[in-house]
Amino acid sequence: YDTPYGQKGDGLLPDGTPVCQMKKEEAVADGKTKAPASVEYPEHLISVESFKKYLLDNTERLQTNPYSMGNQISNQVAQIIARDKQLRAEGAEESICELLVEWFYKHQNPETGNWYHYREGDNAKLIAFEGNNSLLKIIDSLNQLGAELPHPIEAARSAMQILRGDEAATSVCDMYNTWYAIEQVILNVKKHSKLSEEEK
């Protein structure tokens, strides 16, 4: 079957047996045809306006729990890209991909290059790992969207401070995500930065 990500299905089951295809048009008793069922999308991907509302509704979550929010976006960014193309083809004047990138840019913490915003009483472990894990998830989305990461030096330094710091990882993900985030910052600078070659 075709996927919400825009990938075309081959019409075959895993064992190679052809899938019994549903007809796009079905004959009805009066000889007319019935229109095919419309494709269903998650509520926030129905229109540009519903996507704007989704971003607005999740702004606080991006700032207070950016790893979780970044993960949610990262897991659906391919679907967002595919839906953006469909909406533009249908006449949408705004791009939901561009709206997403602008939303990330607006809420990034320029001091750290990640998306964690300090709150009174935060402990060092939360600041370090929540911030870096948010970087990993959001930079993955930016790389898929072909968008430049603002404040790449600050982002890389924040991640490297974890490697040099005394905070013990709570899981293997904390260490893996740190190294991988640094790699993704380098990849982003190489592929998507608007800086001069010398600055890169």
Side-chain angles (χ1 to χ4, degrees), residues 84 88 93-103 145:
D84 182 64
R88 296 304 292 256
E93 294 182 5
E94 293 180 279
S95 162
I96 61 173
C97 288
E98 290 175 10
L99 290 169
L100 177 60
V101 170
E102 289 167 11
W103 184 67
L145 291 161

Side-chain angles (χ1 to χ4, degrees), residues 2-152:
D2 295 349
T3 74
Y5 305 108
Q7 298 164 315
K8 296 293 180 187
D10 61 9
L12 300 175
L13 295 173
D15 66 1
T17 306
V19 173
C20 179
Q21 297 291 329
M22 293 169 39
K23 295 179 182 176
K24 291 189 177 180
E25 294 183 344
E26 297 177 2
V28 292
D30 61 4
K32 295 181 181 177
T33 57
K34 179 180 172 185
S38 61
V39 178
E40 292 186 18
Y41 300 100
E43 185 177 341
H44 64 284
L45 293 180
I46 291 173
S47 67
V48 170
E49 291 307 314
S50 66
F51 192 70
K52 284 181 180 179
K53 182 179 183 308
Y54 172 76
L55 296 179
L56 183 63
D57 289 347
N58 283 287
T59 295
E60 184 179 350
R61 184 173 164 213
L62 179 67
Q63 294 179 333
T64 58
N65 197 352
Y67 177 42
S68 172
M69 190 66 224
N71 185 56
Q72 183 173 319
I73 296 288
S74 174
N75 287 336
Q76 60 178 318
V77 72
Q79 187 174 358
I80 292 169
I81 292 168
R83 182 63 178 143
D84 182 64
K85 290 176 184 173
Q86 293 170 340
L87 288 169
R88 296 304 292 256
E90 293 168 7
E93 294 182 5
E94 293 180 279
S95 162
I96 61 173
C97 288
E98 290 175 10
L99 290 169
L100 177 60
V101 170
E102 289 167 11
W103 184 67
F104 281 145
Y105 287 178
K106 182 177 180 182
H107 300 290
Q108 184 186 31
N109 184 337
E111 295 178 10
T112 62
N114 61 49
W115 278 262
Y116 190 76
H117 292 260
Y118 306 113
R119 289 166 295 177
E120 191 174 336
D122 284 351
N123 63 49
K125 190 181 295 287
L126 181 64
I127 292 169
F129 294 121
E130 178 72 19
N132 187 69
N133 290 339
S134 76
L135 171 64
L136 171 73
K137 290 301 182 180
I138 293 172
I139 197 171
D140 176 60
S141 294
L142 292 176
N143 282 339
Q144 289 187 63
L145 291 161
E148 179 178 26
L149 171 71
H151 313 290

